[in-house]
């Protein structure tokens, strides 16, 4: 059984990993045998003061829906109010029913607080939501939420798709994760696809 199948998935601390990579890159210019004591001291100080944010990805439940709506209305890009979501037919009842009917949504938690979520439409092979609270951006949470979606979508479909603003940070992340075959769909949005490996 995979970590995703078990419903819980805990990656290594992304913040700590970033600091380690930074240290490795910065140490490369130092020749073997040269003293770098001042640099090493600075790095150790940085390492000791880096708050490594550990997060978990798990399947969403109906009890998570309120937190998911709070996140959805708090994002910096593609922000919508609760009223705008309701006008689109995206209501707590709709999301709860979707979660009850299939494995279609995941949440990211930090210290048991929900800080991000993602959702798919398994019938149409669409990844239609991946959002993280602004204060938790840049930690790899969005990437792992997207990977959870991909894993589920590719069980049922050879190709998945999504729509997003062409020049958004989200679009850059999707492209980085291998989404392509980009097509303009109007009003500054694009459709991206990803094929099952």
């Amino acid at each position: 059984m995979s970590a995703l199948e078990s419903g819980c998935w805990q990656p290594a601390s992304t913040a700590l990993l970033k600091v380690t990579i930074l240290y490795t890159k910065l140490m490369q210019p130092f020749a073997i045998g040269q003293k770098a004591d001042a640099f090493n001291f600075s790095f150790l100080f940085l390492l000791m003061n880096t708050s490594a944010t550990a997060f978990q990805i798990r399947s969403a439940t109906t009890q998570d829906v309120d937190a998911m709506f709070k996140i959805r209305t708090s994002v910096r890009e593609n922000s919508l109010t609760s009223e705008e979501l309701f006008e689109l037919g995206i209501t707590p009842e709709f999301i709860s029913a979707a979660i009850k009917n299939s494995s279609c949504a995941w949440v990211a938690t930090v210290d048991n607080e929900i800080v991000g979520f993602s959702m798919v439409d398994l019938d149409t092979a669409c990844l239609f939501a991946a959002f993280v609270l602004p204060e938790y951006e840049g930690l790899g949470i969005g990437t792992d939420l997207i990977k959870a979606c991909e894993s589920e979508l590719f069980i049922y479909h050879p190709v998945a798709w999504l729509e997003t603003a062409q020049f958004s940070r989200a679009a850059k992340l999707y492209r980085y994760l291998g989404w392509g075959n980009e097509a303009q769909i109007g009003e500054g949005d694009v459709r991206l696809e990803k094929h099952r490996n």
Side-chain angles (χ1 to χ4, degrees), residues 93-121:
E93 294 77 20
F94 174 81
I95 299 301
S96 293
I99 290 171
K100 284 179 185 175
N101 291 331
S102 65
S103 175
C104 67
W106 298 265
V107 294
T109 62
V110 174
D111 296 331
N112 296 316
E113 177 191 356
I114 296 173
V115 300
F117 78 95
S118 59
M119 284 194 75
V120 299
D121 182 333

PDB file of all heavy atoms in Angstrom, residues 93-121:
ATOM      1  N   GLU A  93     -22.226  22.192   0.664  1.00  0.00           N
ATOM      2  CA  GLU A  93     -22.997  20.975   0.413  1.00  0.00           C
ATOM      3  C   GLU A  93     -22.482  20.240  -0.821  1.00  0.00           C
ATOM      4  O   GLU A  93     -22.374  19.009  -0.826  1.00  0.00           O
ATOM      5  CB  GLU A  93     -24.488  21.320   0.238  1.00  0.00           C
ATOM      6  CG  GLU A  93     -25.156  21.869   1.483  1.00  0.00           C
ATOM      7  CD  GLU A  93     -24.824  23.343   1.775  1.00  0.00           C
ATOM      8  OE1 GLU A  93     -24.389  24.057   0.840  1.00  0.00           O
ATOM      9  OE2 GLU A  93     -24.975  23.757   2.940  1.00  0.00           O
ATOM     10  N   PHE A  94     -22.166  21.000  -1.862  1.00  0.00           N
ATOM     11  CA  PHE A  94     -21.647  20.409  -3.099  1.00  0.00           C
ATOM     12  C   PHE A  94     -20.310  19.712  -2.851  1.00  0.00           C
ATOM     13  O   PHE A  94     -20.079  18.581  -3.284  1.00  0.00           O
ATOM     14  CB  PHE A  94     -21.501  21.494  -4.175  1.00  0.00           C
ATOM     15  CG  PHE A  94     -20.843  21.018  -5.430  1.00  0.00           C
ATOM     16  CD1 PHE A  94     -21.562  20.321  -6.387  1.00  0.00           C
ATOM     17  CD2 PHE A  94     -19.490  21.264  -5.656  1.00  0.00           C
ATOM     18  CE1 PHE A  94     -20.951  19.874  -7.556  1.00  0.00           C
ATOM     19  CE2 PHE A  94     -18.864  20.822  -6.810  1.00  0.00           C
ATOM     20  CZ  PHE A  94     -19.604  20.124  -7.768  1.00  0.00           C
ATOM     21  N   ILE A  95     -19.401  20.399  -2.140  1.00  0.00           N
ATOM     22  CA  ILE A  95     -18.076  19.835  -1.867  1.00  0.00           C
ATOM     23  C   ILE A  95     -18.189  18.629  -0.941  1.00  0.00           C
ATOM     24  O   ILE A  95     -17.526  17.607  -1.145  1.00  0.00           O
ATOM     25  CB  ILE A  95     -17.142  20.904  -1.261  1.00  0.00           C
ATOM     26  CG1 ILE A  95     -16.960  22.070  -2.243  1.00  0.00           C
ATOM     27  CG2 ILE A  95     -15.799  20.304  -0.897  1.00  0.00           C
ATOM     28  CD1 ILE A  95     -16.380  21.701  -3.590  1.00  0.00           C
ATOM     29  N   SER A  96     -19.052  18.706   0.072  1.00  0.00           N
ATOM     30  CA  SER A  96     -19.243  17.573   0.985  1.00  0.00           C
ATOM     31  C   SER A  96     -19.742  16.350   0.236  1.00  0.00           C
ATOM     32  O   SER A  96     -19.274  15.225   0.469  1.00  0.00           O
ATOM     33  CB  SER A  96     -20.231  17.943   2.094  1.00  0.00           C
ATOM     34  OG  SER A  96     -19.692  18.935   2.934  1.00  0.00           O
ATOM     35  N   ALA A  97     -20.691  16.550  -0.675  1.00  0.00           N
ATOM     36  CA  ALA A  97     -21.227  15.433  -1.451  1.00  0.00           C
ATOM     37  C   ALA A  97     -20.141  14.813  -2.325  1.00  0.00           C
ATOM     38  O   ALA A  97     -20.050  13.584  -2.441  1.00  0.00           O
ATOM     39  CB  ALA A  97     -22.396  15.901  -2.310  1.00  0.00           C
ATOM     40  N   ALA A  98     -19.300  15.655  -2.928  1.00  0.00           N
ATOM     41  CA  ALA A  98     -18.215  15.143  -3.775  1.00  0.00           C
ATOM     42  C   ALA A  98     -17.247  14.300  -2.951  1.00  0.00           C
ATOM     43  O   ALA A  98     -16.822  13.218  -3.380  1.00  0.00           O
ATOM     44  CB  ALA A  98     -17.491  16.309  -4.442  1.00  0.00           C
ATOM     45  N   ILE A  99     -16.903  14.778  -1.759  1.00  0.00           N
ATOM     46  CA  ILE A  99     -15.969  14.056  -0.896  1.00  0.00           C
ATOM     47  C   ILE A  99     -16.563  12.722  -0.443  1.00  0.00           C
ATOM     48  O   ILE A  99     -15.869  11.706  -0.366  1.00  0.00           O
ATOM     49  CB  ILE A  99     -15.564  14.928   0.312  1.00  0.00           C
ATOM     50  CG1 ILE A  99     -14.681  16.088  -0.156  1.00  0.00           C
ATOM     51  CG2 ILE A  99     -14.860  14.106   1.383  1.00  0.00           C
ATOM     52  CD1 ILE A  99     -14.398  17.128   0.908  1.00  0.00           C
ATOM     53  N   LYS A 100     -17.873  12.701  -0.163  1.00  0.00           N
ATOM     54  CA  LYS A 100     -18.531  11.462   0.250  1.00  0.00           C
ATOM     55  C   LYS A 100     -18.549  10.423  -0.865  1.00  0.00           C
ATOM     56  O   LYS A 100     -18.460   9.221  -0.619  1.00  0.00           O
ATOM     57  CB  LYS A 100     -19.979  11.749   0.678  1.00  0.00           C
ATOM     58  CG  LYS A 100     -20.122  12.377   2.035  1.00  0.00           C
ATOM     59  CD  LYS A 100     -21.596  12.626   2.334  1.00  0.00           C
ATOM     60  CE  LYS A 100     -21.779  13.379   3.633  1.00  0.00           C
ATOM     61  NZ  LYS A 100     -23.192  13.727   3.877  1.00  0.00           N
ATOM     62  N   ASN A 101     -18.665  10.895  -2.115  1.00  0.00           N
ATOM     63  CA  ASN A 101     -18.852   9.991  -3.248  1.00  0.00           C
ATOM     64  C   ASN A 101     -17.571   9.420  -3.833  1.00  0.00           C
ATOM     65  O   ASN A 101     -17.611   8.398  -4.519  1.00  0.00           O
ATOM     66  CB  ASN A 101     -19.637  10.697  -4.357  1.00  0.00           C
ATOM     67  CG  ASN A 101     -21.071  10.947  -3.962  1.00  0.00           C
ATOM     68  OD1 ASN A 101     -21.643  10.204  -3.167  1.00  0.00           O
ATOM     69  ND2 ASN A 101     -21.665  12.005  -4.490  1.00  0.00           N
ATOM     70  N   SER A 102     -16.421  10.080  -3.627  1.00  0.00           N
ATOM     71  CA  SER A 102     -15.182   9.567  -4.229  1.00  0.00           C
ATOM     72  C   SER A 102     -13.953  10.139  -3.530  1.00  0.00           C
ATOM     73  O   SER A 102     -14.049  11.083  -2.752  1.00  0.00           O
ATOM     74  CB  SER A 102     -15.127   9.928  -5.721  1.00  0.00           C
ATOM     75  OG  SER A 102     -15.041  11.332  -5.891  1.00  0.00           O
ATOM     76  N   SER A 103     -12.815   9.542  -3.851  1.00  0.00           N
ATOM     77  CA  SER A 103     -11.533  10.037  -3.334  1.00  0.00           C
ATOM     78  C   SER A 103     -11.091  11.176  -4.243  1.00  0.00           C
ATOM     79  O   SER A 103     -10.395  10.964  -5.227  1.00  0.00           O
ATOM     80  CB  SER A 103     -10.498   8.909  -3.337  1.00  0.00           C
ATOM     81  OG  SER A 103      -9.239   9.404  -2.941  1.00  0.00           O
ATOM     82  N   CYS A 104     -11.535  12.399  -3.907  1.00  0.00           N
ATOM     83  CA  CYS A 104     -11.331  13.519  -4.833  1.00  0.00           C
ATOM     84  C   CYS A 104     -10.695  14.742  -4.201  1.00  0.00           C
ATOM     85  O   CYS A 104     -10.479  15.742  -4.878  1.00  0.00           O
ATOM     86  CB  CYS A 104     -12.665  13.913  -5.453  1.00  0.00           C
ATOM     87  SG  CYS A 104     -13.832  14.608  -4.255  1.00  0.00           S
ATOM     88  N   ALA A 105     -10.391  14.710  -2.903  1.00  0.00           N
ATOM     89  CA  ALA A 105      -9.879  15.912  -2.241  1.00  0.00           C
ATOM     90  C   ALA A 105      -8.863  15.544  -1.171  1.00  0.00           C
ATOM     91  O   ALA A 105      -8.967  14.497  -0.535  1.00  0.00           O
ATOM     92  CB  ALA A 105     -11.026  16.702  -1.617  1.00  0.00           C
ATOM     93  N   TRP A 106      -7.886  16.441  -1.001  1.00  0.00           N
ATOM     94  CA  TRP A 106      -6.818  16.236  -0.026  1.00  0.00           C
ATOM     95  C   TRP A 106      -6.585  17.542   0.712  1.00  0.00           C
ATOM     96  O   TRP A 106      -6.814  18.627   0.179  1.00  0.00           O
ATOM     97  CB  TRP A 106      -5.528  15.796  -0.732  1.00  0.00           C
ATOM     98  CG  TRP A 106      -5.716  14.497  -1.431  1.00  0.00           C
ATOM     99  CD1 TRP A 106      -5.424  13.245  -0.949  1.00  0.00           C
ATOM    100  CD2 TRP A 106      -6.290  14.293  -2.713  1.00  0.00           C
ATOM    101  NE1 TRP A 106      -5.792  12.289  -1.868  1.00  0.00           N
ATOM    102  CE2 TRP A 106      -6.327  12.899  -2.949  1.00  0.00           C
ATOM    103  CE3 TRP A 106      -6.808  15.148  -3.699  1.00  0.00           C
ATOM    104  CZ2 TRP A 106      -6.840  12.344  -4.124  1.00  0.00           C
ATOM    105  CZ3 TRP A 106      -7.321  14.607  -4.864  1.00  0.00           C
ATOM    106  CH2 TRP A 106      -7.328  13.217  -5.066  1.00  0.00           C
ATOM    107  N   VAL A 107      -6.124  17.428   1.943  1.00  0.00           N
ATOM    108  CA  VAL A 107      -5.767  18.610   2.721  1.00  0.00           C
ATOM    109  C   VAL A 107      -4.328  18.466   3.207  1.00  0.00           C
ATOM    110  O   VAL A 107      -3.827  17.353   3.409  1.00  0.00           O
ATOM    111  CB  VAL A 107      -6.707  18.846   3.920  1.00  0.00           C
ATOM    112  CG1 VAL A 107      -8.110  19.194   3.446  1.00  0.00           C
ATOM    113  CG2 VAL A 107      -6.726  17.655   4.856  1.00  0.00           C
ATOM    114  N   ALA A 108      -3.683  19.619   3.374  1.00  0.00           N
ATOM    115  CA  ALA A 108      -2.354  19.682   3.980  1.00  0.00           C
ATOM    116  C   ALA A 108      -2.517  20.237   5.380  1.00  0.00           C
ATOM    117  O   ALA A 108      -3.235  21.223   5.587  1.00  0.00           O
ATOM    118  CB  ALA A 108      -1.435  20.587   3.159  1.00  0.00           C
ATOM    119  N   THR A 109      -1.865  19.602   6.339  1.00  0.00           N
ATOM    120  CA  THR A 109      -1.972  20.067   7.723  1.00  0.00           C
ATOM    121  C   THR A 109      -0.594  20.350   8.298  1.00  0.00           C
ATOM    122  O   THR A 109       0.388  19.681   7.966  1.00  0.00           O
ATOM    123  CB  THR A 109      -2.681  19.028   8.617  1.00  0.00           C
ATOM    124  OG1 THR A 109      -1.907  17.822   8.643  1.00  0.00           O
ATOM    125  CG2 THR A 109      -4.076  18.733   8.117  1.00  0.00           C
ATOM    126  N   VAL A 110      -0.543  21.354   9.143  1.00  0.00           N
ATOM    127  CA  VAL A 110       0.643  21.681   9.941  1.00  0.00           C
ATOM    128  C   VAL A 110       0.163  21.757  11.382  1.00  0.00           C
ATOM    129  O   VAL A 110      -0.722  22.569  11.694  1.00  0.00           O
ATOM    130  CB  VAL A 110       1.285  23.014   9.513  1.00  0.00           C
ATOM    131  CG1 VAL A 110       2.412  23.396  10.464  1.00  0.00           C
ATOM    132  CG2 VAL A 110       1.794  22.938   8.081  1.00  0.00           C
ATOM    133  N   ASP A 111       0.701  20.906  12.232  1.00  0.00           N
ATOM    134  CA  ASP A 111       0.251  20.855  13.629  1.00  0.00           C
ATOM    135  C   ASP A 111      -1.270  20.735  13.718  1.00  0.00           C
ATOM    136  O   ASP A 111      -1.927  21.435  14.484  1.00  0.00           O
ATOM    137  CB  ASP A 111       0.726  22.087  14.404  1.00  0.00           C
ATOM    138  CG  ASP A 111       2.238  22.148  14.512  1.00  0.00           C
ATOM    139  OD1 ASP A 111       2.884  21.081  14.506  1.00  0.00           O
ATOM    140  OD2 ASP A 111       2.779  23.276  14.574  1.00  0.00           O
ATOM    141  N   ASN A 112      -1.829  19.869  12.891  1.00  0.00           N
ATOM    142  CA  ASN A 112      -3.269  19.573  12.842  1.00  0.00           C
ATOM    143  C   ASN A 112      -4.130  20.724  12.322  1.00  0.00           C
ATOM    144  O   ASN A 112      -5.358  20.625  12.338  1.00  0.00           O
ATOM    145  CB  ASN A 112      -3.788  19.120  14.207  1.00  0.00           C
ATOM    146  CG  ASN A 112      -3.161  17.815  14.642  1.00  0.00           C
ATOM    147  OD1 ASN A 112      -3.035  16.883  13.845  1.00  0.00           O
ATOM    148  ND2 ASN A 112      -2.746  17.735  15.895  1.00  0.00           N
ATOM    149  N   GLU A 113      -3.511  21.813  11.874  1.00  0.00           N
ATOM    150  CA  GLU A 113      -4.270  22.906  11.253  1.00  0.00           C
ATOM    151  C   GLU A 113      -4.238  22.728   9.747  1.00  0.00           C
ATOM    152  O   GLU A 113      -3.173  22.486   9.156  1.00  0.00           O
ATOM    153  CB  GLU A 113      -3.653  24.262  11.617  1.00  0.00           C
ATOM    154  CG  GLU A 113      -4.361  25.425  10.938  1.00  0.00           C
ATOM    155  CD  GLU A 113      -3.613  26.739  11.075  1.00  0.00           C
ATOM    156  OE1 GLU A 113      -2.578  26.777  11.768  1.00  0.00           O
ATOM    157  OE2 GLU A 113      -4.067  27.725  10.457  1.00  0.00           O
ATOM    158  N   ILE A 114      -5.388  22.843   9.096  1.00  0.00           N
ATOM    159  CA  ILE A 114      -5.457  22.718   7.643  1.00  0.00           C
ATOM    160  C   ILE A 114      -4.955  24.006   7.016  1.00  0.00           C
ATOM    161  O   ILE A 114      -5.481  25.094   7.280  1.00  0.00           O
ATOM    162  CB  ILE A 114      -6.894  22.402   7.194  1.00  0.00           C
ATOM    163  CG1 ILE A 114      -7.318  21.038   7.755  1.00  0.00           C
ATOM    164  CG2 ILE A 114      -7.003  22.407   5.668  1.00  0.00           C
ATOM    165  CD1 ILE A 114      -8.762  20.692   7.524  1.00  0.00           C
ATOM    166  N   VAL A 115      -3.911  23.876   6.175  1.00  0.00           N
ATOM    167  CA  VAL A 115      -3.278  25.059   5.574  1.00  0.00           C
ATOM    168  C   VAL A 115      -3.347  25.048   4.052  1.00  0.00           C
ATOM    169  O   VAL A 115      -2.930  26.002   3.401  1.00  0.00           O
ATOM    170  CB  VAL A 115      -1.808  25.184   6.032  1.00  0.00           C
ATOM    171  CG1 VAL A 115      -1.730  25.323   7.543  1.00  0.00           C
ATOM    172  CG2 VAL A 115      -0.975  24.008   5.557  1.00  0.00           C
ATOM    173  N   GLY A 116      -3.868  23.975   3.468  1.00  0.00           N
ATOM    174  CA  GLY A 116      -3.996  23.901   2.019  1.00  0.00           C
ATOM    175  C   GLY A 116      -4.904  22.751   1.637  1.00  0.00           C
ATOM    176  O   GLY A 116      -5.180  21.866   2.455  1.00  0.00           O
ATOM    177  N   PHE A 117      -5.382  22.765   0.393  1.00  0.00           N
ATOM    178  CA  PHE A 117      -6.211  21.663  -0.088  1.00  0.00           C
ATOM    179  C   PHE A 117      -6.140  21.582  -1.603  1.00  0.00           C
ATOM    180  O   PHE A 117      -5.735  22.539  -2.280  1.00  0.00           O
ATOM    181  CB  PHE A 117      -7.672  21.815   0.363  1.00  0.00           C
ATOM    182  CG  PHE A 117      -8.471  22.816  -0.429  1.00  0.00           C
ATOM    183  CD1 PHE A 117      -9.255  22.408  -1.503  1.00  0.00           C
ATOM    184  CD2 PHE A 117      -8.444  24.164  -0.093  1.00  0.00           C
ATOM    185  CE1 PHE A 117      -9.983  23.334  -2.235  1.00  0.00           C
ATOM    186  CE2 PHE A 117      -9.184  25.083  -0.818  1.00  0.00           C
ATOM    187  CZ  PHE A 117      -9.957  24.680  -1.897  1.00  0.00           C
ATOM    188  N   SER A 118      -6.508  20.433  -2.128  1.00  0.00           N
ATOM    189  CA  SER A 118      -6.617  20.245  -3.574  1.00  0.00           C
ATOM    190  C   SER A 118      -7.795  19.333  -3.863  1.00  0.00           C
ATOM    191  O   SER A 118      -8.216  18.552  -3.004  1.00  0.00           O
ATOM    192  CB  SER A 118      -5.323  19.661  -4.149  1.00  0.00           C
ATOM    193  OG  SER A 118      -5.020  18.418  -3.542  1.00  0.00           O
ATOM    194  N   MET A 119      -8.338  19.464  -5.095  1.00  0.00           N
ATOM    195  CA  MET A 119      -9.496  18.657  -5.499  1.00  0.00           C
ATOM    196  C   MET A 119      -9.422  18.329  -6.974  1.00  0.00           C
ATOM    197  O   MET A 119      -8.858  19.099  -7.764  1.00  0.00           O
ATOM    198  CB  MET A 119     -10.813  19.396  -5.239  1.00  0.00           C
ATOM    199  CG  MET A 119     -11.238  19.424  -3.800  1.00  0.00           C
ATOM    200  SD  MET A 119     -12.973  19.943  -3.611  1.00  0.00           S
ATOM    201  CE  MET A 119     -13.832  18.451  -4.134  1.00  0.00           C
ATOM    202  N   VAL A 120     -10.022  17.201  -7.329  1.00  0.00           N
ATOM    203  CA  VAL A 120     -10.127  16.780  -8.726  1.00  0.00           C
ATOM    204  C   VAL A 120     -11.573  16.412  -9.036  1.00  0.00           C
ATOM    205  O   VAL A 120     -12.363  16.137  -8.133  1.00  0.00           O
ATOM    206  CB  VAL A 120      -9.215  15.573  -9.033  1.00  0.00           C
ATOM    207  CG1 VAL A 120      -7.750  15.909  -8.787  1.00  0.00           C
ATOM    208  CG2 VAL A 120      -9.629  14.347  -8.221  1.00  0.00           C
ATOM    209  N   ASP A 121     -11.881  16.399 -10.322  1.00  0.00           N
ATOM    210  CA  ASP A 121     -13.133  15.831 -10.809  1.00  0.00           C
ATOM    211  C   ASP A 121     -12.748  14.549 -11.531  1.00  0.00           C
ATOM    212  O   ASP A 121     -12.186  14.590 -12.629  1.00  0.00           O
ATOM    213  CB  ASP A 121     -13.826  16.803 -11.764  1.00  0.00           C
ATOM    214  CG  ASP A 121     -15.170  16.278 -12.259  1.00  0.00           C
ATOM    215  OD1 ASP A 121     -15.354  15.041 -12.303  1.00  0.00           O
ATOM    216  OD2 ASP A 121     -16.025  17.103 -12.609  1.00  0.00           O
TER     217      ASP A 121
END
